[in-house]
Amino acid sequence: MVLSDIIDKVADHGYCIIDDFLQPERSGALYHYAQQLPAQHWNLAGIGRQQNQTINTMVRNDRIYWLTQEEPRHKDYLAIMEQLRNEFNRELFLGLFDYECHLAHYPKGAFYKKHLDAFKGRSNRVLTTVFYLNPEWEEADGGQLVIYGNKGQVLETVLPKQGRLVVFLSDRFVHEVLRSERDRFSITGWFRINASISGIVDPPR
């Protein structure tokens, strides 16, 4: 995958959908890693920022596990996304400061209703990324990502097939995850600017 292709599509349309972002063996390794994580590692995902974050299973009921540089099995994916961050900064001068991401597990019946990942002037998230891990995913398995336009029209309905990467502007595109009919795994992340003072990243995870 040529990273410049991603840059060009985001620059032109605000989002892109790229298949085979990683080699199958890399995607497969991440899938098996997510599958084998002990249940106690996963946390119910929250809504909102920091001290205002709440758990609302009527809006979302997926589970998450944050990736860190301290875990050797996370480093390969994080290094690739660092390359992409540098490419965005070089080509589009976005001033992206860092990247954070987590594994997402949607058990059977899980969903995430319509939402924005950032509101203009109120978040440091600039670009959202979603990388899908499940092999042999069919339409009947559900869990599609639906991306909406500014008039509420459906722009894309994205099947979460292994190796597919979606990148979009965090404050522009309302989106949702439809109900999954079997365990669905992905990596969701955000490229961020440093919107803080005194060199402290705002907001922290």
Side-chain angles (χ1 to χ4, degrees), residues 35-96:
Q35 273 192 314
Q36 293 165 13
L37 272 176
Q40 64 268 26
H41 283 47
W42 297 96
N43 296 300
L44 271 173
I47 301 163
R49 288 178 47 149
Q50 298 174 266
Q51 67 269 22
N52 296 321
Q53 190 173 85
T54 60
I55 301 295
N56 185 344
T57 55
M58 299 299 291
V59 175
R60 68 183 299 188
N61 49 8
D62 56 314
R63 290 155 175 77
I64 65 173
Y65 174 68
W66 290 96
L67 273 61
T68 69
Q69 289 288 355
E70 288 71 39
E71 168 55 60
R73 288 168 291 186
H74 301 172
K75 287 185 175 181
D76 184 49
Y77 185 78
L78 293 174
I80 293 166
M81 301 313 282
E82 176 66 7
Q83 293 176 33
L84 184 55
R85 183 184 74 86
N86 288 329
E87 191 75 12
F88 268 114
N89 284 341
R90 181 164 43 249
E91 296 297 326
L92 301 183
F93 308 103
L94 294 180
L96 301 175

Side-chain angles (χ1 to χ4, degrees), residues 184-200:
R184 170 194 182 279
F185 294 96
S186 59
I187 302 176
T188 301
W190 298 271
F191 290 107
R192 312 189 301 172
I193 58 171
N194 188 351
S196 65
I197 58 174
S198 302
I200 300 171

Side-chain angles (χ1 to χ4, degrees), residues 1 9 16-22 131-132 158-159 161-166:
M1 177 66 233
K9 289 182 179 181
C16 71
I17 302 165
I18 301 290
D19 286 339
D20 303 317
F21 177 64
L22 297 183
F131 181 66
Y132 296 111
V158 184
L159 192 70
K161 57 180 281 190
Q162 187 178 82
R164 176 169 285 170
L165 177 73
V166 183

